[in-house]
Amino acid sequence: MATPIAGNVQRSEAVEAVLEELLASMTWEQKLAQLQIAFRPRLEDAKDLARGGIGAVFWPRSAEATNELQRTAREETPHGIPLLVGLDVVHGQRTTFPVPLAQAASFDPAVAGADARISAKEAASGGVNWTFSPMVDVSRDPRWGRVVEGFGEDTHVNSVFGAAKIRGYQGESLANEDSILACAKHFVAYGQAEGGRDYNTVDVSVQRLRNVYLEPFRAAVEAGAATVMAAFNTVSGRPAHANGNLLTELLKEEWGFEGVVVGDADGVVNLIEHGVAANLGDALQQSYAAGLDVEMGGNAVSVDGVALLSPGDVSSERVDDAVRRVLRLKHALALFDNPYRDAALEVTAPSAETRLAAREAAEKCLVLLKNDDGVLPLVASRLRVLLVGPYAESNDHLGAWVQSFAEPAGTLADSIQAECPDWSLTVKEGTGFFQEDPALLADAVSSAEQHDVIVVAVGEPSSLTGEASSRSDLRLPGGQEELIRAIAGTGKPFAVVMFNGRPLVTSAWIDSAPTVLEAWHLGLEGPAAVARALSGQVNPGGRLPMTFPRSSSQVPIHYDHENTGRPATVSARMDEDVVDVALMGPGNTDDRYTSKYRDLPLGPQFAFGHGLSYTSFGYGQIQVEKEELALEDLREGRVFRLDIALSNTGDRSGDEVTLLFIRDRVASLAQPVRRLRAFSRTTLDAGQTELLSFDLGWSDLGFWDNQGRYVVEPGEFEVHIGGGLENNAHTVVRLT
Ligand code: NOJ
């Protein structure tokens, strides 16, 4: 039986024979040259590298330049091996989609799939054949700027969205001209960087590593990810780049990963600063020996062909294995047949079709956090709307990890003019992102009187999000909090729209704002999506994929925490039927000796899964086919089938995200109070009812122990189904 290499590409004897022959004719230096990717912005420098037989380069920014590089590699090297051409295509190439964290808020993996497919088509048309995406680092600390690149705090959500991205990038077949290799990153546990500080240390137990951080990577490998990127961080003392337990024993041996492990930018060089390698040669040797296949930086072989390692520094079997992995992917991409792309067909701008896809995606990511007085939607005609705040006229909507050549987004003011032509719109800045200006503030406030409603567009500029953008203070920067409070002081109805790439702390103003719409950084069509939601053409249906804390000091905070021995929330009690008690407080604040902060109310500001709608939804009771199953039957593939009726109880159509959580009541290791095991997003017309079905099986009810074994233990499992963490329908199933 053939083994898949990546995607649906099967290993074939014929290809293996060709590759073996090629390998046998390569020198040590030629082999090592294949095991690196270099970043050289100047085409002439990149051509020198190609002549030297390098295996991979970063994209030289056009199909024409890429063709030149490929031609150099094909025609001016002894073996004519084509190049892998890599680029971070994270949420768009020409057509920018919402940032990944926002995509997760859609709870609709089709959003990630559409982004990846369109991104792959656009990037591949220019000669890119490898993206360093998706990031599937579970992220529970919003101080870490990179939370914007992943799918939030939940393991299951990261697994599902990561897999959707991988399938989208890699397409039906890797050999198709519009398919590119995906890369699941950063392996592993980067999301647990201490203090949320980028590049910082990670120390993690086996059970947490397995249950939380590794699962999305396992899902990525199962989805056929062609490559995996090592993380910058240490994992329990050993940097990931030189961690043989992770790269070889776990990823390649236990999971059978057949693709390529690539290092992060200078991640091998950084082993010296980590203090585990004496010099660059030592760092390279340790990394390749640990299972790294491609070094990112281009340090293994110099342009003139001098290798930093000698035969014997790393076993020839290991080097051959790495080269085979690289060559197999090149073969799977059909680069040996044709590495060139028709420069005339290079996509250099979004089309009407890709714009529409980006807009539909953006609309699905909106989360209505509050709508106390039903301020939104603004449906009256001839409405006098005052738009204030630094995001009113900013075009900073594309978000972190966006291409410098991507089509720019317009402004919210322009989109409101276009989408809501019968409003009378006035725009006032009110404050800059960082500078407080009393004159601007006074001008905005004095204008309020002449308007029916005020939209306050605030946020965190995308330059404060992404790599190397950790923050210690999660509030809106500059004078924005003051602007919101000043607008609240006018007594006029108003809605706050937040544009940001991480959960923000809103406690200084949230109680004074009746309505808050979370709009993230939604990409090219973000402003249009927001305008359409403000005016009710779109009904927001997204949910938070990450907890919004009350204070920056409350992090890390996540819904799937363990109970502790002294929980402060009442839901923690095991001696009563607690399944329907609110998880998030008010809870047991009288007892001093419980787990909490004495100067903060219990729980977060907005919990994971929170999100409202312009309509309302109701759930029936959970119907279980069988309340009890034998462990052995579950192992054999039997499942608990759960049905629940979902109804749109309001007066307009809308989308409901349904979340299914479990709680293992008693286990040999302390289990989270809730674990998300399934979710769905359903569109229902007013008054419509639909029956939803979910299956819980072997892979849903167990956990990984500290010996790295997956165990399912008999006992009672609470099942909670509903539109968030609270007030859910519930039942108990038993394993005997
Ligand atoms: C560093 C980042 O950590 C990684 O995510 C990215 O893919 C590489 N740089 C390449 O740009």
Side-chain angles (χ1 to χ4, degrees), residues 39 58 87-88 90 131-133 135 137 146 149 183 185-186 190 198-199 229-232 262-266 296 401 467:
F39 182 72
F58 272 76
L87 182 70
D88 292 274
V90 173
T131 177
F132 305 116
S133 173
M135 179 179 113
D137 294 317
R146 305 203 74 167
E149 293 175 54
C183 181
K185 68 188 189 184
H186 306 85
Y190 194 14
D198 212 359
Y199 314 120
M229 183 184 288
F232 283 131
V262 61
D264 202 340
D266 282 333
M296 188 180 280
W401 271 125
E467 187 178 349

